[in-house]
Amino acid sequence: MAPITAPVNGHYDIGFLLVPGFSQLAFSSALEPFRMANQLTERRLYTWHLMSRDGAPVSASSGLRTAVDCPLEEPLPLDLVVVCAGVEVQHHCDRETLTWLRRMAGRHVPLGAVCTGGYVLARAGVLNGYRCTLHWEHISSIHEALMFPEVTFTSQLFVMDRDRYTCSGGVAPLDMMLTLIGRQQGLELAEAIAEEFLHERIRDVGDRQRTPLRVRLGHSQPKLEEVATLMEANLHEPLSLDELARHANLSRRQLERLFQRYVGCPPAKYYLDLRLTRARQLLQQTNMPITDVALACGFVSPPHFTKCYHDHFGHSPSRERQRRRERLEQTIPAPIDPAPPARPAGEG
């Protein structure tokens, strides 16, 4: 296959800081897009360095040990630092690591994080005044503990706020790095990498983590889970509330009370939100006509679908079709007025 011609906007040196207990899946999802970018273009667009606090091999959450290239103290001309963390991250925020991250922020090196790496950045104080994301399990615990009040946590898959790039976990780093490559080297290369990885679409910053209903509720409600499962299985031809209640051996009034109490909205609204979320996925990853998308999600009237979609997402279905390509095609602007180093947070 002929190499892909991509506009080369310089060479990028990336440092991957491996924190003990890091997620091997998240780390690989972050690294592999850069390797494939080099392979497909037959150019050395990206170079990466694996780092640990002391230069010793690091064990992932799976127990696999990964050798690194250098310790943090070794000076490297980095264009991006990505913190890769995982389980029990709160036990691995040592003083040397936090100090080094603050030093990188002071030099205006862009900082990124995958999985729970955002927690390390927050502990270092380099996310103060930024928006970021973590895996939904950790966002919940941070909110409950009232930690990091100067950081805005979201439930998005990934967040790219100025010179801070954070993502949740799993394969979400793949989408974040493909978005970054698309902005730096062009959409054609990013989409070619996604095809090589059998990744059907590059999810964007508007996509959100899907939190299990039982976690969102914080209670064990098997009847609600049963009804929610029925709703998800019947998006094309929505069931009536009476049918849903009958399947769960509930009365319609009992069903409405359960949703209102534990979900905070009527079951009809929850069902509508599921259908609209599915419609958004179809608009982003297929070429289905908007009318067909509406029918596939249980809307018999295209005007009604357009109105519901606009009310929920703030823009029309046709605009949704344009937004992802526009975001990926934009280039990263050069910093004009770099923000001053963030105020260090306490380590206690």
Side-chain angles (χ1 to χ4, degrees):
M1 183 178 72
I4 292 177
T5 302
V8 182
N9 297 324
H11 174 269
Y12 296 87
D13 277 292
I14 304 169
F16 287 94
L17 171 56
L18 304 185
V19 176
F22 72 96
S23 165
Q24 193 80 49
L25 175 60
F27 164 59
S28 297
S29 296
L31 172 62
E32 284 295 306
F34 298 115
R35 178 192 66 80
M36 187 57 70
N38 290 351
Q39 178 177 316
L40 291 180
T41 60
E42 297 184 359
R43 295 172 179 168
R44 200 172 179 82
L45 301 179
Y46 299 96
T47 300
W48 48 89
H49 314 271
L50 306 190
M51 314 171 74
S52 68
R53 179 181 60 80
D54 55 4
V58 185
S59 293
S61 57
S62 63
L64 293 175
R65 289 177 64 79
T66 300
V68 301
D69 301 310
C70 59
L72 295 182
E73 62 188 27
E74 183 171 320
L76 290 173
L78 299 175
D79 300 300
L80 172 65
V81 170
V82 180
V83 181
C84 304
V87 298
E88 299 183 345
V89 63
Q90 64 273 21
H91 301 305
H92 300 293
C93 296
D94 56 89
R95 185 179 300 274
E96 293 85 352
T97 297
L98 301 184
T99 299
W100 184 81
L101 289 170
R102 292 170 192 146
R103 188 181 309 130
M104 293 298 102
R107 296 174 182 171
H108 307 297
V109 175
L111 300 176
V114 302
C115 198
T116 60
Y119 180 94
V120 183
L121 294 182
R123 280 287 301 273
V126 297
L127 286 181
N128 292 345
Y130 285 88
R131 294 173 62 255
C132 75
T133 191
L134 289 172
H135 190 277
W136 53 263
E137 289 181 314
H138 297 274
I139 291 178
S140 299
S141 62
I142 284 174
H143 283 166
E144 290 173 5
L146 302 177
M147 301 174 69
F148 313 124
E150 297 181 57
V151 182
T152 301
F153 290 91
T154 80
S155 59
Q156 291 172 233
L157 283 174
F158 64 93
V159 174
M160 305 177 79
D161 184 0
R162 292 161 287 169
D163 55 353
R164 298 290 184 271
Y165 313 135
T166 56
C167 69
S168 45
V171 296
L174 176 61
D175 298 284
M176 183 172 76
M177 297 313 184
L178 286 174
T179 299
L180 183 62
I181 291 170
R183 292 182 177 183
Q184 293 175 340
Q185 309 294 347
L187 178 61
E188 180 186 3
L189 177 58
E191 291 186 336
I193 296 170
E195 289 177 2
E196 287 288 330
F197 293 151
L198 306 181
H199 196 51
E200 63 181 14
R201 73 180 180 95
I202 304 174
R203 296 175 293 178
D204 62 36
V205 293
D207 284 309
R208 308 183 77 81
Q209 301 179 51
R210 184 174 180 183
T211 308
L213 183 61
R214 64 181 183 277
V215 175
R216 291 172 53 193
L217 299 178
H219 297 272
S220 176
Q221 292 295 328
K223 292 293 184 181
L224 274 181
E225 292 182 37
E226 181 181 350
V227 171
T229 301
L230 278 171
M231 289 177 173
E232 293 174 2
N234 293 274
L235 300 180
H236 177 63
E237 295 184 0
L239 300 175
S240 69
L241 295 187
D242 289 330
E243 291 174 312
L244 290 168
R246 187 166 57 251
H247 279 293
N249 294 319
L250 295 169
S251 69
R252 176 168 173 161
R253 180 168 294 184
Q254 287 174 317
L255 178 63
E256 291 174 337
R257 285 176 177 171
L258 279 174
F259 266 88
Q260 199 63 55
R261 178 177 180 182
Y262 294 107
V263 185
C265 69
K269 182 182 185 305
Y270 182 85
Y271 207 171
L272 177 62
D273 290 350
L274 286 178
R275 292 158 57 201
L276 289 170
T277 298
R278 176 57 177 159
R280 187 169 188 261
Q281 294 170 346
L282 292 175
L283 289 168
Q284 290 182 337
Q285 69 186 48
T286 74
N287 293 319
M288 290 173 60
I290 292 177
T291 299
D292 291 351
V293 171
L295 292 174
C297 298
F299 296 91
V300 296
S301 165
H304 178 59
F305 168 59
T306 298
K307 180 182 184 305
C308 291
Y309 198 95
H310 190 281
D311 289 345
H312 188 77
F313 293 112
H315 52 266
S316 67
S318 58
R319 176 59 180 150
E320 187 68 69
R321 276 267 158 86
Q322 303 170 5
R323 293 183 71 203
R324 173 175 160 271
R325 180 169 293 274
E326 290 175 353
R327 278 193 293 265
L328 285 174
E329 287 179 340
Q330 53 182 291
T331 58
I332 297 179
I336 299 175
D337 260 327
R343 177 175 57 82
E347 298 172 17

